[in-house]
Amino acid sequence: MYLGSRFVVSLLVSLAAFSVGAAAPEAQRIDAAGEQREYLLVSPERSRAGARPLVLVLHGHLGTAANALGGGRAPSPLSAWLDIAERENVLVAALQGLKGSDNRTGWHDCRSDADDNPQVDDVAFASRVAKRLVDDGRADAKRIYVMGMSNGAIMTLRLALEMQPAPAAVAAVAGTMAAKSRCTGAPRPISVLLIHGTDDPLVPYTGGAVGLGERRDRGSVVSVAATRDFWLRADGLASAKVVEASFPHEGDDATRARKATYGPDTGPQVVVITIEHGGHVEPSKRFHYPALYGRIVGVQNRDLESAEVAWSFFASKETP
């Protein structure tokens, strides 16, 4: 389960791919629930002087923390957090998942029917990282946020339920809540941003079995609508008026991005960004996956920058 020196080697190999001018990620280790865990910390020099917002970033199944921050052959849209960290004076911690029984990295999210997920305490891991940075006076306990993709998005929604200290807001891209949940965390008012494509071939927009093609053996999830409604109830927004908007379209693909906002910016809020005809991929203006990848996961929308939209959502949110 322990990635050890391979994590550090992967980081060193990947450094050249990170954004020029942005703070370089630093490899960190921490003990959590009996496991030694690893993460990358992006810490702009001026952030060292006081408590700043903290964003935890969770990669998807098969991914790595280094890949999430742009250290890979294909640029990850989540690597936009490097520039955001520098520009907005934000701490960013990209967490490294461990390997499950399928020998692939991932997260122990709420799906009780996803047997090949790593059987470790990832809630304790995320909580320990946040608490360390808060206790060190570097992170603001009222301004902790989480963003995840795919398996990392489903894990993000678990952290919204169970993480301590509680995040003020979370963003889940291409991931919804478990249909058969092992989680026991009581709903609490947390702002939630959902970004999801209607043609996602791995995590269906309307819910159901997770997986690709005939291998839909990665457990099951509920729909985007059911996930939205869960958090509307938790946030006391079940009767809130919805404000709808569309993003200007870029490119010649068939995707279109539309946003539904529930609740004011100043309190608990739920936002759903639906990518019509979008696939299992983060929308991005800057970071585009190869065409072959798109044939597998579906079309990548280019109307918005997922990390930038998440930061705009996070920036006004604080825990009470």
Side-chain angles (χ1 to χ4, degrees), residues 11 14-27 40-48 65-66 69-71 78-94 138:
L11 169 62
S14 302
L15 281 176
F18 293 130
S19 298
V20 175
E26 302 172 359
L40 298 180
L41 181 64
V42 181
S43 178
E45 191 65 32
R46 59 197 175 109
S47 74
R48 299 178 191 274
L69 292 184
L78 294 180
S79 63
W81 280 111
L82 291 171
D83 295 326
I84 296 169
E86 191 68 33
R87 185 185 75 229
E88 304 291 343
N89 196 19
V90 173
L91 291 172
V92 175
R138 300 177 68 182

Side-chain angles (χ1 to χ4, degrees), residues 56-213:
L56 303 183
V57 174
L58 277 63
H59 62 75
H61 186 231
L62 296 109
T64 67
N67 292 155
L69 292 184
R73 293 182 180 179
S76 166
L78 294 180
S79 63
W81 280 111
L82 291 171
D83 295 326
I84 296 169
E86 191 68 33
R87 185 185 75 229
E88 304 291 343
N89 196 19
V90 173
L91 291 172
V92 175
L95 308 186
Q96 176 62 52
L98 297 180
K99 290 183 178 180
S101 60
D102 60 355
N103 203 35
R104 309 286 180 85
T105 53
W107 304 99
H108 190 194
D109 58 43
C110 286
R111 289 172 291 166
S112 62
D113 51 357
D115 297 331
D116 53 2
N117 278 345
Q119 301 302 300
V120 293
D121 192 342
D122 285 319
V123 175
F125 174 32
S127 298
R128 287 277 291 121
V129 171
K131 189 174 186 304
R132 168 192 273 183
L133 293 168
V134 169
D135 289 348
D136 287 348
R138 300 177 68 182
D140 183 346
K142 291 187 175 183
R143 302 193 67 193
I144 296 172
Y145 313 102
V146 187
M147 183 177 192
M149 167 65 189
S150 188
N151 181 197
I154 303 172
M155 184 65 210
T156 290
L157 294 169
R158 179 171 194 172
L159 295 179
L161 289 170
E162 300 181 351
M163 181 178 159
Q164 294 293 344
V170 301
V173 184
T176 54
M177 298 186 73
K180 299 178 180 179
S181 180
R182 61 163 54 92
C183 295
T184 59
R188 53 190 179 183
I190 288 175
S191 294
V192 173
L193 167 65
L194 304 172
I195 303 175
H196 211 114
T198 60
D199 291 353
D200 189 324
L202 282 87
V203 182
Y205 186 87
T206 55
V210 175
L212 189 62

Side-chain angles (χ1 to χ4, degrees), residues 199-288:
D199 291 353
D200 189 324
L202 282 87
V203 182
Y205 186 87
T206 55
V210 175
L212 189 62
E214 296 182 357
R215 291 204 59 187
R216 308 196 70 81
D217 56 357
R218 294 271 304 143
S220 56
V221 293
V222 302
S223 67
V224 172
T227 302
R228 173 202 65 197
D229 291 347
F230 177 94
W231 289 105
L232 287 176
R233 291 190 296 271
D235 290 343
L237 297 172
S239 60
K241 180 181 178 181
V242 59
V243 177
E244 298 183 341
S246 297
F247 290 84
H249 183 60
E250 299 187 11
D252 57 1
D253 60 76
T255 68
R256 296 293 187 276
R258 53 184 172 83
K259 180 168 75 168
T261 302
Y262 304 81
D265 289 341
T266 54
Q269 188 180 55
V270 175
V271 173
V272 180
I273 297 178
T274 295
I275 310 299
E276 298 288 353
H277 305 296
H280 188 76
V281 59
E282 310 98 313
S284 179
K285 291 174 175 284
R286 298 169 54 197
F287 305 98
H288 305 143

